[in-house]
Amino acid sequence: MRAGLQGKLILAFSVLLLVALGTGSWFYVSRSRDTLSDILGEQARQISQTLAMAAVSPYRSGDSGELRKVAKTLLRSRNIVLVVFCDQKRSPLALACRDPDLTIQKWQTSPLFQSNTQQLMQVHARHTEPLGDFLQITVPVVEVVHEPGHDATTRILGFLTVGLSQNAEQAQLRRVTMTGMGVAMLILVLCLPLASGLIHRIFLPIRQLVAASNRIASGDFSVQVATDRPDEIGTLARSFNEMVGRINEHQQALKIANESLAEANRGLETKVQQRTRELESTNQRLSGEIAEKEDFLRAVSHDLNAPLRNIGGMATMLLMKCRDKFDEDVVHRLERINKNVEVETNLIAELLELSRIKTRRQKMEWVDIDGLVCELGEVFEEDLKQHKIDLIIDATLPGLVCERNRLRQVFQNLIDNAIKYMGRQPTREIHIGCTSAESHLEFYVRDTGIGIHPDDTTKVFYVFRRGKNSAEMNVAGKGVGLASVKSIIETYDGRIWVESDLGKGSTFRFTIHRRFTPEAAAALQEPANDAEAA
Ligand code: ADP
C-alpha cells in the first residue's frame, strides 16, 4: 500500500523522534555509567587507603589473626566482596572473600592476584561468576618512621587488596535506564497523535487544493480556494485561483472558437456539397458534350469521308475508263484529286483517333517496350537505310503495363519525325533510352537532325501547329503527330517536352508514372486479388 504525503510525514516525524529519544537515552545512560564508575573507583581508593591506615598496627605487631578478624568484619559491609592482606613479598597473611572457593592458599594462583607493583593504586574492573562485577584495587600498607635528627621516612609493611561490588549500582542504573526508556516511549505515544493532528491541520489547505484540482479535472472551472493565509500555502492558493481563472478564460475562448469552427465547418460542408453537385452536373454536361462531340466527329468524318470517297472513286473511274481520251493535264489533275482525297481521308482518321485517345482507353497489358522499339526498327528499316541513319537503343528499355498500340504510336511518331527532320546532317543517329526517377520513368528519343527553332519548342505539341523548320526544309506533314503523342502521354500521368539545339538535333523526353511499371501494377493487383479471395 502506498502511503500519502501526510502518512509519510507522520512516519518521518516518528522515526526522527524515536532516533532523538534513543540517542538521548543512550547518551544519558552511558554518561551515568561512566560517572558511576568514576565515583565507585574513587570510593574504592578511599576505602582501601583508610583500611591500609587502620591495618598498620596489626602489621607492625605481626598479628595475622587480627588481620583476619578485620578482613572478616569488612566483608560484612554491603559493597566489599574481597579483602586480602599480604606481606612485603605479596604472600597473603589474611583473606576474606564472598567466594568460598577462593582460599588463602589459592590466592597467588588466582586470576585476581596482581604481582605487578606498577598496578598499585589503580582501580580494575573485574568479573567472576560467583562475585559478579566488582572493582579491585591494591594499595600498600605504609608505616611512617620518625627518627630523631632525621626527616620522617616511610616503610612498606605489606599490601592490601580490596574488591568493591558494582552489582547494586548497576541494578540501580538498569532501573534508571528502564525508567528513561519508559518515559521516552510515553513521550512518543503522547507526541504521535499530537503530531498527526498538527500535520493533518497543516495539510488541510493542500487537501482543499487537491479536491479543487479534481473538480477542475472533471470540468468544473467555477471552483476557488481560500487565499487568506500569509504563508506559502496562501501564495499557492492565490496562484491556483489565478491559474483556474486563466483556464476558465481559455476554455471560454476555446468554446467560442469551437462554435465558430463548427459553424464554419457546417458552411464548408454545405459549400462542398454544393460544389460536388455543381461538379457532378458539370461532369455530366461534359460527358454529354464529349459524347456529342464524338457523335459530331463521327458524323462529320462520315459526312466528309462519303463525298471524299465518292470524289476519289469518280476520279479513279475516269482515269481507268477515259485516260486515253483525256489530255495529259486532265490526267495529272485527276491524279492530284486522288492523292488529296487520300491525304484528307487519312487526316480525318487521325483526328478521329486523336479525339478518342483520352475517352476510349484500350486494353492494358504487359508490353515489352524494348521489343516494341526493335519491331519499329524493322518497320523503318528501309527508310533508315535509305537515309543512312543509325537507330541505337542506348540501354535495354523497361517493360510497361499499358495500351500496346498507343505506346507503339508514341515511339512510331517520334522515330518517324526524327527520320523526317534529319536533313543533311553529317552525323545521322537516333538514340532511344530510359532513365529512372523516384516517381516515374523518363524515356527519350534523341536525334542529330536539324533541330527546332526555340520559338517552336512548346507550340509543336498542339494540333496543326508545325515548326518553322518544316517549311524551311519543305517536309510534308499535318501537324497532328506530336499532339497525339502528348495526349497519350498525359493518360499515363506523364508529360512531354523537347530540348533542341538548332542545327544540331533534338531530344524528345517523356515521363510515365511508376504505377505503370509491372512491379507497381502487380503490387496494386495483389490486394485486389486478396479481397476477391476473401
Ligand atoms: P508534322 O511532323 O506532321 O508536322 P508533328 O506533330 O509530328 O507534325 O510535328 C510538329 C512539328 O514539330 C513539326 O512540324 C516540326 O516542325 C517539329 N518536329 C517534330 N519532330 C521533330 C524533330 N525530330 N526534329 C525537328 N523538328 C521536329
Side-chain angles (χ1 to χ4, degrees), residues 350 413-422 445-447 449-453 456 459-471 475-485 498 500 505-508:
E350 274 181 48
N413 278 351
L414 294 175
I415 297 170
D416 189 29
N417 279 352
I419 297 171
K420 272 199 313 190
Y421 297 97
M422 185 57 77
V445 177
R446 181 162 64 82
D447 63 57
I450 57 172
I452 303 175
H453 198 280
D456 294 336
K459 283 185 204 161
V460 291
F461 295 102
Y462 294 100
V463 70
F464 296 138
R465 304 288 284 272
R466 306 194 69 207
K468 292 186 190 81
N469 56 3
S470 60
V475 181
K478 299 185 278 286
V480 182
L482 286 183
S484 302
V485 169
V498 61
S500 184
S506 316
T507 306
F508 283 85

Side-chain angles (χ1 to χ4, degrees), residues 87 89-92 103-111 113:
D87 60 14
K89 290 179 184 145
R90 309 299 291 268
S91 303
T103 57
I104 197 159
Q105 290 77 18
K106 293 180 186 169
W107 170 244
Q108 278 180 309
T109 54
S110 121
F113 176 68

Side-chain angles (χ1 to χ4, degrees), residues 230-472:
D231 55 10
E232 286 80 1
I233 291 176
T235 315
L236 182 66
R238 278 189 289 281
S239 311
F240 183 84
N241 285 345
E242 205 172 305
M243 183 190 79
V244 174
R246 291 238 176 99
I247 292 178
N248 211 356
E249 277 169 24
H250 282 140
Q251 204 67 14
Q252 293 301 329
L254 210 68
K255 212 168 155 187
I256 294 168
N258 264 351
E259 273 167 16
S260 48
L261 207 68
E263 184 68 27
N265 247 353
R266 278 194 290 279
L268 209 65
E269 262 171 36
T270 324
K271 271 188 192 158
V272 167
Q273 279 170 2
Q274 196 182 327
R275 287 276 188 282
T276 312
R277 277 197 298 277
E278 280 172 16
L279 271 175
E280 274 170 6
S281 81
T282 313
N283 231 0
Q284 268 176 3
R285 190 167 49 77
L286 275 176
S287 303
E289 276 176 18
I290 288 169
E292 226 171 74
K293 195 180 103 187
E294 276 195 18
D295 284 349
F296 171 75
L297 269 171
R298 247 194 317 277
V300 167
S301 64
H302 183 262
D303 289 357
L304 280 176
N305 264 339
L308 273 175
R309 269 201 306 274
N310 216 351
I311 293 167
M314 277 176 161
T316 313
M317 204 182 71
L318 281 172
L319 278 172
M320 274 167 55
K321 286 190 176 172
C322 313
R323 185 181 276 269
D324 307 338
K325 292 176 194 163
F326 294 148
D327 58 29
E328 208 171 304
D329 185 44
V330 176
V331 170
H332 179 65
R333 279 172 196 275
L334 282 171
E335 276 173 353
R336 273 187 62 193
I337 288 173
N338 253 350
K339 205 155 187 86
N340 283 341
V341 164
E342 196 187 317
V343 169
E344 290 308 312
T345 316
N346 285 346
L347 179 64
I348 289 166
E350 274 181 48
L351 281 177
L352 204 61
E353 177 55 23
L354 175 63
S355 75
R356 284 173 182 160
I357 285 172
K358 285 190 179 165
T359 50
R360 289 205 191 165
R361 301 303 301 269
Q362 295 173 353
K363 186 181 145 207
M364 297 293 273
E365 59 187 306
W366 180 79
V367 179
D368 170 15
I369 300 293
D370 206 61
L372 186 140
V373 171
C374 288
E375 265 173 40
L376 284 172
E378 284 165 21
V379 171
F380 285 108
E381 198 177 0
E382 272 309 306
D383 277 343
L384 292 167
K385 258 190 200 161
Q386 193 187 333
H387 292 95
K388 297 193 174 72
I389 298 171
D390 290 328
L391 178 68
I392 301 156
I393 300 175
D394 287 341
T396 312
L397 302 168
L400 287 176
V401 175
C402 59
E403 300 145 298
R404 170 181 285 278
N405 287 339
R406 296 254 156 97
L407 260 291
R408 186 187 165 93
Q409 195 180 340
V410 167
F411 283 101
Q412 188 170 339
N413 278 351
L414 294 175
I415 297 170
D416 189 29
N417 279 352
I419 297 171
K420 272 199 313 190
Y421 297 97
M422 185 57 77
R424 295 201 180 88
Q425 299 295 96
T427 311
R428 310 176 69 76
E429 286 172 5
I430 301 170
H431 289 261
I432 300 179
C434 177
T435 57
S436 180
E438 198 185 330
S439 64
H440 58 262
L441 300 174
E442 186 181 302
F443 291 88
Y444 63 86
V445 177
R446 181 162 64 82
D447 63 57
T448 52
I450 57 172
I452 303 175
H453 198 280
D455 296 344
D456 294 336
T457 49
T458 48
K459 283 185 204 161
V460 291
F461 295 102
Y462 294 100
V463 70
F464 296 138
R465 304 288 284 272
R466 306 194 69 207
K468 292 186 190 81
N469 56 3
S470 60
E472 284 162 7

Side-chain angles (χ1 to χ4, degrees), residues 106-122:
K106 293 180 186 169
W107 170 244
Q108 278 180 309
T109 54
S110 121
L112 299 176
F113 176 68
Q114 293 169 330
S115 58
N116 193 347
T117 47
Q118 279 177 358
Q119 289 173 341
L120 287 178
M121 300 299 290
Q122 284 179 20

Side-chain angles (χ1 to χ4, degrees), residues 70-264:
V70 171
K72 271 192 185 140
T73 316
L74 283 172
L75 208 62
R76 277 189 218 120
S77 68
R78 191 168 62 94
N79 278 357
I80 296 174
V81 291
L82 171 73
V83 179
V84 186
F85 290 104
C86 297
D87 60 14
Q88 289 153 332
K89 290 179 184 145
R90 309 299 291 268
S91 303
L93 298 171
L95 182 144
C97 180
R98 292 210 183 166
D99 177 8
D101 286 346
L102 186 63
T103 57
I104 197 159
Q105 290 77 18
K106 293 180 186 169
W107 170 244
Q108 278 180 309
T109 54
S110 121
L112 299 176
F113 176 68
Q114 293 169 330
S115 58
N116 193 347
T117 47
Q118 279 177 358
Q119 289 173 341
L120 287 178
M121 300 299 290
Q122 284 179 20
V123 179
H124 296 277
R126 301 280 190 203
H127 178 87
T128 63
E129 214 40 63
L131 299 180
D133 290 320
F134 64 95
L135 297 175
Q136 183 182 330
I137 183 165
T138 303
V139 293
V141 180
V142 179
E143 179 194 28
V144 182
V145 182
H146 296 278
E147 282 182 22
H150 287 92
D151 286 342
T153 53
T154 55
R155 190 164 66 96
I156 293 175
L157 300 173
F159 298 93
L160 164 65
T161 300
V162 178
L164 271 178
S165 171
Q166 284 184 304
N167 285 348
E169 283 72 14
Q170 272 180 350
Q172 183 68 23
L173 195 66
R174 270 197 295 278
R175 271 198 297 282
V176 170
T177 309
M178 291 309 286
T179 315
M181 275 169 65
V183 170
M185 289 312 289
L186 193 70
I187 292 172
L188 188 71
V189 168
L190 287 179
C191 279
L192 264 183
L194 207 73
S196 156
L198 207 67
I199 291 169
H200 187 81
R201 218 183 119 62
I202 292 169
F203 268 77
L204 185 68
I206 293 176
R207 279 201 303 280
Q208 283 172 350
L209 275 176
V210 172
S213 310
N214 285 342
R215 280 175 64 189
I216 290 172
S218 61
D220 178 6
F221 292 101
S222 62
V223 62
Q224 289 279 306
V225 288
T227 56
D228 53 349
R229 290 174 67 109
D231 55 10
E232 286 80 1
I233 291 176
T235 315
L236 182 66
R238 278 189 289 281
S239 311
F240 183 84
N241 285 345
E242 205 172 305
M243 183 190 79
V244 174
R246 291 238 176 99
I247 292 178
N248 211 356
E249 277 169 24
H250 282 140
Q251 204 67 14
Q252 293 301 329
L254 210 68
K255 212 168 155 187
I256 294 168
N258 264 351
E259 273 167 16
S260 48
L261 207 68
E263 184 68 27

